[in-house]
Amino acid sequence: LNFIDLMVRQGNIDNPPKTPLVPGFECSGIVESLGDSVKGFEIGDRVMAFVNYNAWAEVVCTPVEFVYKIPDDMNFSEAAAFPMNFVTAYMMLFEVANLREGMSVLVHSAGGGVGQAVAQLCSTIPNVTVFGTASSFKHEAIKNSVTHLFDRNADYVQEVKRISTDGVDIVLDCLCGENTGKGLSLLKPLGTYILYGSSNMVTGETKSFFSFAKSWWQVEKVNPIKLYEENKVIAGFSLLNLLFKQNRGGLIKGVMDKLLNLYNSKKIKPVVDSLWALEEVKEAMQRIHDRGNIGKLILDVEKAPTPLMANDSTETSEAGEEEEDHEGDNENKERMPFIQ
């Protein structure tokens, strides 16, 4: 599961697909059959793949350019967690922002799948300082992956400036809303702000026009003259558009080759939060919605549903001040199939 899946479900994307629809954009599994012209793969190969929807299924069909072999010591759960997070993080850091030795990076949702991938990739470059925001209950688990960690509800702008008076070189923003202006204000001259998501547009159990509009109107209105005067770069990144609308599968394959080399060198490793049965997709999506995960949530077609537990996810989750009350919370007890 990815946060984009929540946005698809709520229709908070351009040209949302019509129902009925099988969601999901990445998966892992075993090759069952090949097209007549396919080369480089055999039936029985362990692979991971990008899919333009339809990934949440027992059988998936996708063009060969989006398929990659799984390293021998990577399991299927890690493989399903690998492509989107690490390719997104790598492309933003190295292809868009040109991360180099001694730079500084601010990443939001540092405990999520992309946030953890960003932190790991930054550690492959000498003397990179990583500032991260995350819910306070995640800090203990992720404190070793970032240099400076702040509560997501705190005034992180002042905290960053206290440590680095002239700001940071790279801002990676998956939140949007008021964080756009804050991120731009923190950029050093020649710094790069990259928007790669808008999770603040998803707030309630169901789509709320007013919460959506509130987040949208908080977005900083960008003045090109001001960018010119301050020597700042503002960019956007969408891996799915790059793959499925802009035909850059060859570029992504080159990035995957580099990432798999880093994995084989034990320099990066996907972080899996938990495994869920297909029947548990509601609870799994709620965990992402509440920002309760550290790393990736995986739907496992072979997993049986976990019995309900007494605790309710909304009590310990990062619902935040803007979250709306969920109807039926007393009945919606979360299953928590954590990986130890």
Side-chain angles (χ1 to χ4, degrees), residues 71-312:
D72 291 341
D73 58 347
M74 181 186 285
N75 62 41
F76 285 117
S77 298
E78 291 174 329
F82 191 84
M84 189 170 290
N85 289 347
F86 277 98
V87 171
T88 296
Y90 187 97
M91 291 289 292
M92 292 192 299
L93 290 172
F94 298 108
E95 300 287 340
V96 181
N98 194 21
L99 178 66
R100 301 183 301 280
E101 180 176 353
M103 280 187 165
S104 54
V105 178
L106 168 65
V107 60
H108 293 297
S109 299
V114 174
Q116 287 293 288
V118 165
Q120 291 184 32
L121 289 170
C122 286
S123 71
T124 68
I125 306 297
N127 303 318
V128 171
T129 302
V130 180
F131 298 90
T133 69
S135 298
S136 56
F137 72 87
K138 298 183 182 181
H139 286 199
E140 183 64 27
I142 66 174
K143 63 182 181 180
N144 294 328
S145 65
V146 300
T147 317
H148 303 286
L149 190 56
F150 311 119
D151 188 280
R152 69 182 295 265
N153 295 314
D155 185 0
Y156 63 85
V157 173
Q158 294 305 315
E159 291 293 321
V160 171
K161 287 185 175 179
R162 181 176 58 82
I163 298 168
S164 176
T165 54
D166 53 350
V168 298
D169 295 292
I170 301 169
V171 174
L172 305 178
D173 181 11
C174 61
L175 303 177
C176 200
E178 62 181 334
N179 294 280
T180 301
K182 291 179 178 180
L184 285 170
S185 72
L186 281 171
L187 279 186
K188 295 179 181 179
L190 302 183
T192 302
Y193 162 94
I194 305 175
L195 180 69
Y196 71 99
S198 52
S199 64
N200 278 341
M201 302 298 182
V202 175
T203 53
E205 173 69 15
T206 58
K207 181 179 177 181
S208 165
F209 172 80
F210 296 104
S211 59
F212 182 93
K214 177 183 176 183
S215 294
W216 177 249
W217 283 107
Q218 287 175 325
V219 175
E220 183 82 359
K221 304 304 183 285
V222 177
N223 183 340
I225 299 298
K226 189 175 181 181
L227 290 177
Y228 148 75
E229 291 174 344
E230 296 181 353
N231 281 301
K232 294 181 178 180
V233 178
I234 184 168
F237 183 78
S238 166
L239 177 57
L240 296 177
N241 283 346
L242 203 63
L243 281 168
F244 302 124
K245 293 183 179 180
Q246 296 155 355
N247 302 316
R248 294 298 191 272
L251 171 63
I252 302 305
K253 186 181 187 311
V255 170
M256 279 292 288
D257 289 342
K258 295 174 183 176
L259 288 168
L260 290 173
N261 284 334
L262 289 172
Y263 176 85
N264 290 327
S265 301
K266 303 283 192 286
K267 293 182 179 179
I268 61 174
K269 183 180 177 64
V271 178
V272 176
D273 175 84
S274 46
L275 298 180
W276 304 77
L278 289 178
E279 295 90 340
E280 298 170 322
V281 67
K282 176 185 175 183
E283 293 86 352
M285 292 188 97
Q286 187 66 50
R287 182 164 173 78
I288 293 182
H289 177 280
D290 291 344
R291 296 162 173 87
N293 56 301
I294 298 174
K296 201 65 164 271
L297 279 75
I298 305 295
L299 292 178
D300 185 346
V301 297
E302 296 182 347
K303 185 181 183 301
T306 303
L308 287 169
M309 293 180 63
N311 66 305
D312 187 340

